Amino acid sequence: MKKFPYIILTFLLCWTTACKKLDTLPPSIISDQDVFSSAAGVTAYMARMYSELPIEDFRYSPERGLNMFWIISPTSATTGEALSRDQNGSMQENTGLSTWSDCYRTIRDANYFSENIGKYAGNFTNDQVNNWLGEARFIRAATYFALVKRYGGVPLVDKVLKYPEQSIEELKIPRNSEEKIYDFIGTDLDYAYANLPETNQVGRANKYVAAGFKSRAMLYAGTVAKYNQISLVDGSGNRLCGIPVAKAVTYFKAAYDAAALLDGKYSLYKKAWAAGDKNAQYLNYVNMFFDASSPENIFVRQYHYPESVHGYDAYNVPRQLMGANGYSSEVNPTLDFVELFDGFPKNADGTIKTTTGGKYDLYTNTMDIFANAEPRLRATVVLPGDVMKGVSIEIRRGIYTGSSVGGINPLLPAGSTAHYPTDNIVQSANASQTPYKLPNGTTMNPAGLSGYFTGDGTNSVSGFSIRKYIVPDKPTSEVLENRSDQTWIELRYAEVLLNRAEAAVELNSLGQSDKSYLQDAFTQINAIRERGGADLLTGTANLTIDVVRKERKKELGFENKQYWDMRRWRVADKEQNSTIYRTLMPFYSANDGKYFFDARLDERNSRYTFDVRWYYEQIPQDEIQKSQNLIQNPGY
Amino acid sequence: MKKLFYSIALSVLVAAGSSCKKVDNYAAPNVTLKGTVTDAGTGKSLQTEQGSGTRIKLLEISWSSNPTPFYVSSFQDGTYQNTKLFAGKNVISAEGAFVPLVQVDDAGKTIVDKSQTVDVKDVTTVNFSVEPFLRIEWVGDPVLNADGTITTSFKVTRGTADPNFQQNVSDVAVFVNSNNYVGNNNYDNRYTPKLSGNDANNSVGKTLSLTTLGGALPGKRSYFIRVGARVSYGLNYYNYTDVKEVKVP
């Protein structure tokens, strides 16, 4: 029985050890401690926030939203920059998307970071912590900007909401005024500018990124204040939609000042540029989108095959460069877009000149009409017959077999949307063509290798194809969905200059003269025109807001910016009012052995009409069901 | 023991069977709400466009003091009807190209409220009398000219004396289409003449004549014509005339 105390002792010993940390967390769950106590953990946290940042890049379309690989309803085909077989009209963002809730998740992540990193500050230097706090604010501001440009005033959440500590009623936060949200974005970006470093890892914000975004956001606010006519006021006097006109000057000044902060820090990309050399200017403009060391890149989103990819090339290459997935030619620039540029024959009204004395002008090659085209146009758009990836992109509507004695009369009356008459024209329904025997004995396919095919839409439906951002040396075997990984340039210096010029011209028109605004706008616009190889402005006399807007459309075309510009200028309902966009159809005249061009309205008759309501997007119904204090935007 | 087992099994069966009884099946909505939005000045129904024109706003207050609005779109002649509503007490107003029935000032205070609180049941008729922003009258019928174009004469006047709703006229158009659903949402821009800017704003009070664009209209068909004009207010709704048909031989 002597053993008894020992047994008890052993038993007690086992007991005490068993008490140790019964309530430990499962090791598979990552805690704040794991993430916030090391720089690597913070980098990982940041990486997710940046990947969720709502920017309209290669993976965006209004139909399918942000971060969606399938972009066959391209944004540019809603704005009139392009035509597409899969997007045949203007649209507001698809109301079934989760943009609203996704944005608030990112805002929560940013708020959570800001509130908790302080607890682990001992592990880091002061600078590190401040830089990160600046980054979190930048992300929050950029996310609020994505919300306000869509919906107007939204609920302002600047701290982590806690449930169940806070009651449901308390969490049904009503919308704040549009003005407050823009001011909040401005304040956050000022904070970010003050705390961010001069330089940062590629794809992350530095202080100039914050300033650049501020110039963008404040410019939006200024134009909304000046041009918006929609008003929605809630019961407490918050103007949810619209900003008082009196605030326009304040916002334009903020935009101008923010843009000026980047002076000398970035520059326009001119590595291969040479004065007077159109080909060098063209190559320079093409290269700009692929040079990782470009001094013009301010904020970019990188991709890398195979873990982070998009399919821009596969969807948008001309038909004859089609990859194995069978996609091609989703973005076909309209003639309206092409006519914004200089360097080809034009009529007095600015439209392309294709006839003389009522008869078509004849050209030996389709590129002859564009021989002196603005280099920026060639670098943005594949013109019919121009070279891409070493082959001539052949775009031909059909072969004209009629008599050409005394010239060829227009095939259709002006303004017609009818199909071409078939009596004197041979054409092809699809890519398997029957060659036509020309009078000289040789044969020629009725349509070009990249279209136009009358049966299926898988071709250049506008007579043009897109070059901007298409990788110039990507082998066709790699032109596949989810196989592209070129970098998206979300903010480049040209946009900052355009923001600055636009704010300056607006300030000038609002009677502000504390700086020589018009002269400054003149300088910026000409810098951009010179780089693009366009005709320069000769003086400030004709420098109206329309000149700045046109420059912006040309410079930032197909970069998913015009969709928002048309909205904030409140011109979308004027520009798209039962509008049919124009196309340029090259024909080969069999008897002349030459080409002629027919400029016409889109043969597919796609009409674009922008509904005034869409200036403020519809707030998702399920968000209103969750939080009944949200007031829907007007007209929905 | 067996007896107990059977009685339990029986009661489970009874419980399961009785729960199938469909007692909570609410009757399908069968209440009709209809009416007309009329121009207070002329007593005629106020013409509009379908989809983005006049709509009737219902706030059902039988259940909640802060309900989600329900909308009924009006026909283009200004009448509306919905035959599949639930009975209930509703605050009803209308939105469109007329002086708003409910107005809120900058401080968020409701300063005008002409909405009607109605017990909607069986067949309920609710009419509204409104002041349109603009009143557009035909001056004679559209004329088919010898050169194959159509000339339309009309007059645009202000429909309200309230200066808060006399913004500049931003657009005037003679909409042309191949069917009788014609308006800013549905027209043929090859033929439709338009005025904007100062031309539009100076048109108020004058008799104007506009001729279709694009030369002779293709023949052997009918064209449907309607004049529309709008002021720069809110969602920029158009006011319209009724639709007239012109047969081109």
Side-chain angles (χ1 to χ4, degrees):
Chain A
M1 244 8 224
K2 254 190 190 169
K3 280 181 186 164
F4 192 67
Y6 293 106
I7 290 173
I8 292 204
L9 194 65
T10 319
F11 181 71
L12 281 174
L13 263 174
C14 291
W15 200 330
T16 47
T17 54
C19 282
K20 248 178 82 183
K21 294 187 189 162
L22 257 185
D23 58 350
T24 49
L25 285 170
S28 59
I29 290 182
I30 296 169
S31 66
D32 282 5
Q33 168 78 29
D34 301 327
V35 177
F36 292 141
S37 58
S38 74
V42 172
T43 306
Y45 193 94
M46 288 287 171
R48 204 197 53 188
M49 286 203 289
Y50 277 107
S51 73
E52 287 174 346
L53 198 65
I55 56 176
E56 292 84 19
D57 65 351
F58 290 122
R59 292 164 61 93
Y60 170 77
S61 67
E63 172 67 31
R64 298 192 175 79
L66 298 154
N67 262 325
M68 171 66 189
F69 79 99
W70 208 35
I71 44 162
I72 63 157
S73 304
T75 313
S76 53
T78 68
T79 59
E81 293 162 276
L83 297 174
S84 174
R85 65 177 176 279
D86 291 313
Q87 177 65 41
N88 292 300
S90 186
M91 69 180 294
Q92 66 168 330
E93 265 192 352
N94 191 336
T95 51
L97 298 174
S98 57
T99 314
W100 177 286
S101 50
D102 291 348
C103 282
Y104 276 104
R105 202 175 55 205
T106 307
I107 288 167
R108 182 184 173 86
D109 286 347
N111 284 336
Y112 193 85
F113 181 85
S114 303
E115 287 178 19
N116 288 290
I117 190 68
K119 295 176 200 158
Y120 306 91
N123 297 357
F124 308 111
T125 66
N126 255 346
D127 277 354
Q128 277 179 310
V129 174
N130 285 340
N131 291 349
W132 290 333
L133 284 172
E135 247 175 315
R137 290 288 190 100
F138 164 76
I139 285 164
R140 185 167 80 177
T143 309
Y144 268 112
F145 178 59
L147 285 168
V148 74
K149 76 181 178 186
R150 289 176 167 84
Y151 305 107
V154 291
L156 189 62
V157 181
D158 59 357
K159 50 185 170 300
V160 176
L161 301 178
K162 294 195 174 73
Y163 180 77
E165 290 88 329
Q166 288 172 282
S167 70
I168 294 274
E169 276 316 305
E170 210 179 324
L171 294 174
K172 287 182 182 170
I173 302 168
R175 298 172 65 184
N176 216 314
S177 71
E178 187 171 2
E179 185 185 340
K180 283 265 172 53
I181 300 294
Y182 272 114
D183 288 345
F184 182 75
I185 292 167
T187 315
D188 264 3
L189 290 174
D190 286 343
Y191 180 93
Y193 181 77
N195 285 282
L196 279 166
E198 284 271 333
T199 57
N200 204 344
Q201 217 179 337
V202 177
R204 295 174 70 172
N206 64 29
K207 65 196 306 169
Y208 302 110
V209 174
F213 264 76
K214 192 182 175 198
S215 80
R216 183 192 279 179
M218 295 298 105
L219 186 65
Y220 272 59
T223 40
V224 169
K226 187 168 176 191
Y227 298 105
N228 171 59
Q229 284 158 350
I230 299 169
S231 186
L232 177 68
V233 181
D234 75 2
S236 337
N238 293 312
R239 188 163 173 198
L240 310 181
C241 294
I243 297 172
V245 188
K247 289 278 291 186
V249 171
T250 318
Y251 286 127
F252 284 133
K253 282 206 166 145
Y256 183 87
D257 293 343
L261 292 174
L262 282 82
D263 238 354
K265 305 293 177 189
Y266 292 87
S267 63
L268 294 178
Y269 183 83
K270 285 172 106 173
K271 284 190 184 176
W273 191 88
D277 184 346
K278 288 203 168 192
N279 202 49
Q281 294 173 357
Y282 154 74
L283 286 173
N284 177 69
Y285 203 93
V286 172
N287 293 346
M288 168 169 73
F289 294 96
F290 306 102
D291 188 341
S293 66
S294 163
E296 182 161 347
N297 291 0
I298 302 174
F299 185 62
V300 301
R301 176 175 280 170
Q302 291 176 303
Y303 286 91
H304 186 259
Y305 179 79
E307 63 275 13
S308 173
V309 290
H310 57 85
Y312 185 78
D313 295 275
Y315 299 121
N316 299 322
V317 288
R319 170 60 197 252
Q320 72 199 79
L321 300 176
M322 181 171 81
N325 294 132
Y327 286 103
S328 75
S329 352
E330 285 290 357
V331 171
N332 306 286
T334 57
L335 180 56
D336 303 66
F337 179 80
V338 170
E339 282 170 345
L340 295 172
F341 294 82
D342 310 322
F344 51 88
K346 285 190 177 179
N347 298 313
D349 62 354
T351 55
I352 190 167
K353 180 177 170 299
T354 58
T355 59
T356 304
K359 310 284 184 185
Y360 284 118
D361 297 329
L362 297 174
Y363 295 92
T364 309
N365 293 306
T366 44
M367 265 309 275
D368 292 352
I369 190 171
F370 295 109
N372 290 311
E374 183 179 328
R376 182 168 44 170
L377 171 61
R378 275 188 71 206
T380 307
V381 174
V382 179
L383 302 166
D386 209 351
V387 175
M388 178 179 243
K389 299 190 191 181
V391 295
S392 167
I393 303 302
E394 196 188 27
I395 300 171
R396 183 168 60 243
R397 176 64 179 76
I399 299 176
Y400 178 76
T401 59
S403 163
S404 60
V405 180
I408 304 166
N409 288 316
L411 299 169
L412 291 170
S416 174
T417 55
H419 294 301
Y420 287 109
T422 49
D423 35 354
N424 278 329
I425 293 172
V426 283
Q427 52 192 19
S428 291
N430 54 49
S432 43
Q433 308 192 51
T434 314
Y436 176 79
K437 195 164 182 215
L438 296 171
N440 67 8
T442 58
T443 58
M444 182 188 233
N445 281 327
L449 290 171
S450 290
Y452 184 102
F453 307 131
T454 55
D456 56 15
T458 61
N459 62 75
S460 166
V461 292
S462 70
F464 302 101
S465 196
I466 179 74
R467 188 189 298 274
K468 193 181 266 192
Y469 271 129
I470 298 279
V471 179
D473 54 359
K474 200 177 191 63
T476 299
S477 61
E478 289 180 13
V479 177
L480 298 170
E481 288 184 285
N482 296 324
R483 190 67 177 78
S484 294
D485 60 0
Q486 61 265 46
T487 298
W488 174 260
I489 308 170
E490 172 58 19
L491 183 67
R492 56 190 180 96
Y493 192 53
E495 187 199 327
V496 174
L497 292 185
L498 286 162
N499 292 347
R500 177 170 169 171
E502 188 179 334
V505 171
E506 292 286 8
L507 284 168
N508 183 65
S509 76
L510 290 167
Q512 299 297 308
S513 53
D514 54 321
K515 291 190 182 111
S516 49
Y517 286 118
L518 214 50
Q519 188 59 40
D520 189 53
F522 173 80
T523 312
Q524 314 314 338
I525 296 287
N526 264 357
I528 286 167
R529 285 196 178 187
E530 186 189 33
R531 193 269 302 273
D535 301 344
L536 297 184
L537 285 170
T538 49
T540 55
N542 298 320
L543 182 47
T544 60
I545 191 66
D546 289 337
V547 172
V548 182
R549 288 179 181 180
K550 184 177 163 190
E551 201 59 39
R552 196 176 168 95
K553 282 187 176 186
K554 288 164 71 175
E555 179 66 30
L556 303 179
F558 306 99
E559 296 180 35
N560 296 348
K561 303 291 189 284
Q562 194 181 328
Y563 186 77
W564 307 104
D565 287 336
M566 286 168 69
R567 283 164 169 70
R568 70 186 172 88
W569 293 330
R570 301 292 191 255
V571 297
D573 65 314
K574 293 266 183 197
E575 274 185 28
Q576 300 190 326
N577 197 344
S578 198
T579 305
I580 304 176
Y581 288 102
R582 300 172 68 237
T583 64
L584 188 69
M585 292 290 133
F587 283 88
Y588 186 75
S589 171
N591 291 316
D592 289 298
K594 289 191 171 178
Y595 284 93
F596 63 87
F597 294 93
D598 186 48
R600 61 163 298 160
L601 294 176
D602 177 16
E603 189 171 350
R604 306 165 313 141
N605 215 340
S606 299
R607 279 176 191 275
Y608 284 67
T609 297
F610 185 92
D611 193 327
V612 177
R613 294 182 298 174
W614 298 345
Y615 287 129
Y616 290 99
E617 301 267 343
Q618 181 173 10
I619 292 177
Q621 283 300 338
D622 55 335
E623 297 300 332
I624 296 182
Q625 276 162 17
K626 279 188 267 181
S627 177
Q628 296 84 4
N629 290 334
L630 296 176
I631 299 173
Q632 183 58 277
N633 278 329
Y636 296 108
Chain B
M1 204 53 200
K2 228 176 186 180
K3 209 175 176 185
L4 185 66
F5 178 74
Y6 280 128
S7 53
I8 289 173
L10 189 67
S11 54
V12 166
L13 272 176
V14 168
S18 62
S19 69
C20 289
K21 250 173 81 182
K22 294 178 181 162
V23 284
D24 59 347
N25 202 353
Y26 205 90
N30 60 353
V31 168
T32 296
L33 176 68
K34 59 179 185 169
T36 311
V37 178
T38 52
D39 178 343
T42 62
K44 289 188 206 154
S45 71
L46 186 72
Q47 299 289 321
T48 182
E49 68 186 63
Q50 260 173 322
S52 38
T54 304
R55 61 179 187 170
I56 309 299
K57 180 180 183 182
L58 276 71
L59 294 168
E60 188 179 357
I61 53 169
S62 323
W63 311 99
S64 156
S65 58
N66 182 25
T68 303
F70 180 79
Y71 294 96
V72 181
S73 284
S74 124
F75 297 111
Q76 72 174 18
D77 66 358
T79 61
Y80 72 93
Q81 169 167 301
N82 187 328
T83 59
K84 294 280 182 289
L85 289 174
F86 286 110
K89 193 170 191 177
N90 282 272
V91 176
I92 307 177
S93 63
E95 294 174 353
F98 43 82
V99 176
L101 298 179
V102 180
Q103 293 170 28
V104 178
D105 71 2
D106 284 349
K109 212 177 91 193
T110 304
I111 44 176
V112 174
D113 191 353
K114 293 184 187 159
S115 51
Q116 305 176 30
T117 305
V118 182
D119 253 329
V120 178
K121 57 185 181 196
D122 305 331
V123 177
T124 307
T125 303
V126 178
N127 296 324
F128 295 93
S129 177
V130 299
E131 290 185 348
F133 296 132
L134 297 171
R135 198 169 283 140
I136 309 158
E137 304 154 56
W138 296 102
V139 178
D141 281 338
V143 181
L144 179 61
N145 301 316
D147 66 355
T149 58
I150 296 172
T151 299
T152 309
S153 299
F154 57 92
K155 192 171 166 184
V156 180
T157 51
R158 297 279 180 191
T160 171
D162 186 338
N164 290 329
F165 302 101
Q166 294 197 339
Q167 282 83 2
N168 283 353
V169 179
S170 61
D171 300 271
V172 176
V174 177
F175 294 108
V176 180
N177 203 13
S178 53
N179 63 57
N180 66 336
Y181 296 104
V182 52
N184 186 48
N185 55 344
N186 204 13
Y187 71 94
D188 197 324
N189 63 347
R190 291 173 294 172
Y191 311 132
T192 296
K194 289 183 178 186
L195 300 177
S196 59
N198 284 338
D199 293 340
N201 199 34
N202 296 336
S203 67
V204 178
K206 294 173 198 150
T207 298
L208 293 184
S209 293
L210 292 179
T211 302
T212 51
L213 306 176
L217 295 164
K220 299 193 182 66
R221 63 194 78 175
S222 283
Y223 291 93
F224 294 86
I225 296 193
R226 191 181 204 199
V227 186
R230 63 178 172 186
V231 296
S232 307
Y233 176 81
L235 296 181
N236 300 0
Y237 295 109
Y238 268 95
N239 286 108
Y240 291 102
T241 59
D242 55 351
V243 179
K244 293 210 173 181
E245 181 181 357
V246 177
K247 288 196 167 81
V248 176

Short mmCIF file of all heavy atoms in Angstrom, two decimals, chain A residues 531-561:
data_model
loop_
_atom_site.label_atom_id
_atom_site.label_comp_id
_atom_site.label_asym_id
_atom_site.label_seq_id
_atom_site.Cartn_x
_atom_site.Cartn_y
_atom_site.Cartn_z
N ARG A 531 4.82 63.36 -78.98
CA ARG A 531 5.21 61.96 -78.81
C ARG A 531 4.41 61.05 -79.75
O ARG A 531 4.92 60.09 -80.30
CB ARG A 531 5.02 61.56 -77.34
CG ARG A 531 5.69 60.25 -76.96
CD ARG A 531 4.82 59.04 -77.12
NE ARG A 531 3.62 59.10 -76.36
CZ ARG A 531 3.52 58.72 -75.10
NH1 ARG A 531 4.56 58.26 -74.48
NH2 ARG A 531 2.38 58.79 -74.48
N GLY A 532 3.11 61.35 -79.91
CA GLY A 532 2.28 60.50 -80.77
C GLY A 532 2.48 60.77 -82.25
O GLY A 532 1.98 60.02 -83.08
N GLY A 533 3.19 61.85 -82.58
CA GLY A 533 3.41 62.16 -83.98
C GLY A 533 2.23 62.87 -84.62
O GLY A 533 2.06 62.84 -85.84
N ALA A 534 1.38 63.51 -83.80
CA ALA A 534 0.21 64.22 -84.34
C ALA A 534 0.58 65.65 -84.71
O ALA A 534 1.67 66.13 -84.37
CB ALA A 534 -0.90 64.23 -83.30
N ASP A 535 -0.34 66.32 -85.41
CA ASP A 535 -0.14 67.75 -85.71
C ASP A 535 -0.20 68.52 -84.41
O ASP A 535 -1.08 68.29 -83.58
CB ASP A 535 -1.24 68.24 -86.66
CG ASP A 535 -1.25 67.45 -87.96
OD1 ASP A 535 -0.23 66.77 -88.22
OD2 ASP A 535 -2.26 67.50 -88.69
N LEU A 536 0.73 69.46 -84.23
CA LEU A 536 0.77 70.20 -82.97
C LEU A 536 -0.24 71.34 -82.96
O LEU A 536 -0.64 71.84 -84.01
CB LEU A 536 2.17 70.77 -82.75
CG LEU A 536 3.29 69.74 -82.60
CD1 LEU A 536 4.61 70.43 -82.28
CD2 LEU A 536 2.98 68.73 -81.51
N LEU A 537 -0.63 71.73 -81.76
CA LEU A 537 -1.45 72.93 -81.60
C LEU A 537 -0.57 74.13 -81.92
O LEU A 537 0.61 74.16 -81.58
CB LEU A 537 -1.93 73.07 -80.15
CG LEU A 537 -3.05 72.16 -79.65
CD1 LEU A 537 -3.16 72.31 -78.15
CD2 LEU A 537 -4.36 72.52 -80.31
N THR A 538 -1.16 75.14 -82.55
CA THR A 538 -0.35 76.30 -82.91
C THR A 538 -0.49 77.44 -81.91
O THR A 538 0.35 78.33 -81.87
CB THR A 538 -0.73 76.80 -84.31
OG1 THR A 538 -2.14 76.93 -84.36
CG2 THR A 538 -0.27 75.82 -85.37
N GLY A 539 -1.53 77.42 -81.13
CA GLY A 539 -1.69 78.49 -80.15
C GLY A 539 -2.78 78.13 -79.18
O GLY A 539 -3.45 77.11 -79.32
N THR A 540 -2.96 78.97 -78.15
CA THR A 540 -3.95 78.65 -77.13
C THR A 540 -5.34 79.11 -77.54
O THR A 540 -6.32 78.78 -76.86
CB THR A 540 -3.59 79.34 -75.81
OG1 THR A 540 -3.45 80.74 -76.06
CG2 THR A 540 -2.31 78.80 -75.22
N ALA A 541 -5.44 79.83 -78.65
CA ALA A 541 -6.73 80.42 -79.01
C ALA A 541 -7.81 79.36 -79.21
O ALA A 541 -8.95 79.55 -78.80
CB ALA A 541 -6.58 81.26 -80.28
N ASN A 542 -7.43 78.27 -79.86
CA ASN A 542 -8.44 77.25 -80.15
C ASN A 542 -8.45 76.11 -79.13
O ASN A 542 -9.02 75.06 -79.36
CB ASN A 542 -8.21 76.66 -81.54
CG ASN A 542 -8.36 77.72 -82.60
OD1 ASN A 542 -9.25 78.57 -82.51
ND2 ASN A 542 -7.47 77.71 -83.58
N LEU A 543 -7.76 76.31 -78.02
CA LEU A 543 -7.64 75.22 -77.04
C LEU A 543 -8.90 75.19 -76.17
O LEU A 543 -8.93 75.73 -75.07
CB LEU A 543 -6.37 75.42 -76.20
CG LEU A 543 -6.09 74.34 -75.15
CD1 LEU A 543 -6.23 72.95 -75.74
CD2 LEU A 543 -4.71 74.52 -74.58
N THR A 544 -9.92 74.54 -76.68
CA THR A 544 -11.17 74.41 -75.93
C THR A 544 -11.17 73.08 -75.20
O THR A 544 -10.29 72.23 -75.41
CB THR A 544 -12.37 74.45 -76.86
OG1 THR A 544 -12.24 73.35 -77.77
CG2 THR A 544 -12.43 75.74 -77.64
N ILE A 545 -12.20 72.90 -74.38
CA ILE A 545 -12.31 71.65 -73.66
C ILE A 545 -12.50 70.48 -74.63
O ILE A 545 -12.06 69.37 -74.37
CB ILE A 545 -13.45 71.73 -72.61
CG1 ILE A 545 -13.41 70.54 -71.67
CG2 ILE A 545 -14.82 71.84 -73.24
CD1 ILE A 545 -12.19 70.51 -70.80
N ASP A 546 -13.13 70.75 -75.78
CA ASP A 546 -13.31 69.67 -76.76
C ASP A 546 -11.98 69.16 -77.30
O ASP A 546 -11.83 67.98 -77.59
CB ASP A 546 -14.20 70.16 -77.91
CG ASP A 546 -15.63 70.35 -77.46
OD1 ASP A 546 -16.02 69.71 -76.46
OD2 ASP A 546 -16.36 71.13 -78.10
N VAL A 547 -11.01 70.07 -77.43
CA VAL A 547 -9.68 69.66 -77.92
C VAL A 547 -9.04 68.72 -76.90
O VAL A 547 -8.47 67.68 -77.25
CB VAL A 547 -8.80 70.91 -78.14
CG1 VAL A 547 -7.37 70.50 -78.45
CG2 VAL A 547 -9.38 71.75 -79.26
N VAL A 548 -9.16 69.06 -75.61
CA VAL A 548 -8.56 68.23 -74.56
C VAL A 548 -9.24 66.86 -74.54
O VAL A 548 -8.59 65.82 -74.44
CB VAL A 548 -8.69 68.91 -73.19
CG1 VAL A 548 -8.03 68.07 -72.12
CG2 VAL A 548 -8.08 70.29 -73.23
N ARG A 549 -10.56 66.88 -74.63
CA ARG A 549 -11.30 65.60 -74.57
C ARG A 549 -10.95 64.71 -75.76
O ARG A 549 -10.82 63.50 -75.62
CB ARG A 549 -12.79 65.88 -74.55
CG ARG A 549 -13.23 66.45 -73.22
CD ARG A 549 -14.71 66.74 -73.22
NE ARG A 549 -15.13 67.30 -71.95
CZ ARG A 549 -16.38 67.65 -71.68
NH1 ARG A 549 -17.33 67.49 -72.57
NH2 ARG A 549 -16.68 68.15 -70.50
N LYS A 550 -10.82 65.32 -76.93
CA LYS A 550 -10.47 64.54 -78.12
C LYS A 550 -9.09 63.91 -77.95
O LYS A 550 -8.87 62.75 -78.28
CB LYS A 550 -10.52 65.45 -79.35
CG LYS A 550 -10.28 64.74 -80.64
CD LYS A 550 -10.43 65.70 -81.82
CE LYS A 550 -9.80 65.11 -83.06
NZ LYS A 550 -9.71 66.09 -84.15
N GLU A 551 -8.15 64.71 -77.41
CA GLU A 551 -6.80 64.21 -77.19
C GLU A 551 -6.84 63.01 -76.23
O GLU A 551 -6.13 62.03 -76.40
CB GLU A 551 -5.93 65.33 -76.61
CG GLU A 551 -4.46 65.11 -76.79
CD GLU A 551 -4.08 64.98 -78.26
OE1 GLU A 551 -4.64 65.69 -79.10
OE2 GLU A 551 -3.22 64.12 -78.54
N ARG A 552 -7.67 63.11 -75.22
CA ARG A 552 -7.79 62.05 -74.23
C ARG A 552 -8.35 60.78 -74.86
O ARG A 552 -7.87 59.67 -74.61
CB ARG A 552 -8.70 62.54 -73.10
CG ARG A 552 -8.62 61.72 -71.86
CD ARG A 552 -9.48 62.36 -70.76
NE ARG A 552 -9.61 61.42 -69.67
CZ ARG A 552 -8.83 61.41 -68.59
NH1 ARG A 552 -7.90 62.31 -68.44
NH2 ARG A 552 -9.00 60.51 -67.66
N LYS A 553 -9.36 60.96 -75.71
CA LYS A 553 -9.93 59.79 -76.40
C LYS A 553 -8.87 59.09 -77.25
O LYS A 553 -8.81 57.87 -77.32
CB LYS A 553 -11.07 60.22 -77.32
CG LYS A 553 -12.37 60.51 -76.60
CD LYS A 553 -13.47 60.75 -77.62
CE LYS A 553 -14.81 60.95 -76.95
NZ LYS A 553 -15.89 61.03 -77.93
N LYS A 554 -8.05 59.90 -77.93
CA LYS A 554 -7.03 59.33 -78.81
C LYS A 554 -5.94 58.63 -78.01
O LYS A 554 -5.55 57.51 -78.30
CB LYS A 554 -6.40 60.43 -79.66
CG LYS A 554 -7.30 60.99 -80.73
CD LYS A 554 -6.78 62.32 -81.27
CE LYS A 554 -5.54 62.15 -82.12
NZ LYS A 554 -5.15 63.46 -82.73
N GLU A 555 -5.45 59.33 -76.98
CA GLU A 555 -4.30 58.82 -76.25
C GLU A 555 -4.68 57.61 -75.41
O GLU A 555 -3.92 56.65 -75.31
CB GLU A 555 -3.72 59.93 -75.35
CG GLU A 555 -2.51 59.52 -74.52
CD GLU A 555 -1.28 59.20 -75.36
OE1 GLU A 555 -1.13 59.78 -76.45
OE2 GLU A 555 -0.46 58.37 -74.91
N LEU A 556 -5.84 57.66 -74.78
CA LEU A 556 -6.21 56.59 -73.84
C LEU A 556 -7.22 55.61 -74.43
O LEU A 556 -7.84 54.84 -73.71
CB LEU A 556 -6.75 57.21 -72.55
CG LEU A 556 -5.82 58.18 -71.82
CD1 LEU A 556 -6.49 58.74 -70.58
CD2 LEU A 556 -4.51 57.50 -71.44
N GLY A 557 -7.39 55.65 -75.74
CA GLY A 557 -8.33 54.74 -76.38
C GLY A 557 -8.02 53.29 -76.04
O GLY A 557 -6.86 52.91 -75.93
N PHE A 558 -9.05 52.49 -75.86
CA PHE A 558 -8.94 51.05 -75.58
C PHE A 558 -8.23 50.75 -74.27
O PHE A 558 -7.78 49.64 -74.04
CB PHE A 558 -8.24 50.32 -76.74
CG PHE A 558 -8.91 50.60 -78.05
CD1 PHE A 558 -8.42 51.54 -78.93
CD2 PHE A 558 -10.09 49.95 -78.37
CE1 PHE A 558 -9.08 51.83 -80.11
CE2 PHE A 558 -10.75 50.23 -79.55
CZ PHE A 558 -10.24 51.17 -80.42
N GLU A 559 -8.11 51.73 -73.39
CA GLU A 559 -7.54 51.48 -72.06
C GLU A 559 -8.64 51.53 -71.01
O GLU A 559 -8.38 51.77 -69.82
CB GLU A 559 -6.42 52.50 -71.78
CG GLU A 559 -5.26 52.33 -72.75
CD GLU A 559 -4.13 53.31 -72.52
OE1 GLU A 559 -3.85 53.65 -71.37
OE2 GLU A 559 -3.51 53.73 -73.52
N ASN A 560 -9.87 51.32 -71.44
CA ASN A 560 -11.04 51.25 -70.54
C ASN A 560 -11.25 52.53 -69.74
O ASN A 560 -11.82 52.50 -68.66
CB ASN A 560 -10.93 50.06 -69.58
CG ASN A 560 -10.94 48.74 -70.32
OD1 ASN A 560 -11.25 48.70 -71.51
ND2 ASN A 560 -10.62 47.67 -69.63
N LYS A 561 -10.79 53.66 -70.29
CA LYS A 561 -10.98 54.93 -69.59
C LYS A 561 -12.18 55.69 -70.15
O LYS A 561 -12.87 56.41 -69.43
CB LYS A 561 -9.72 55.80 -69.71
CG LYS A 561 -8.44 55.15 -69.20
CD LYS A 561 -8.46 55.00 -67.69
CE LYS A 561 -7.11 54.55 -67.14
NZ LYS A 561 -6.83 53.13 -67.35
#
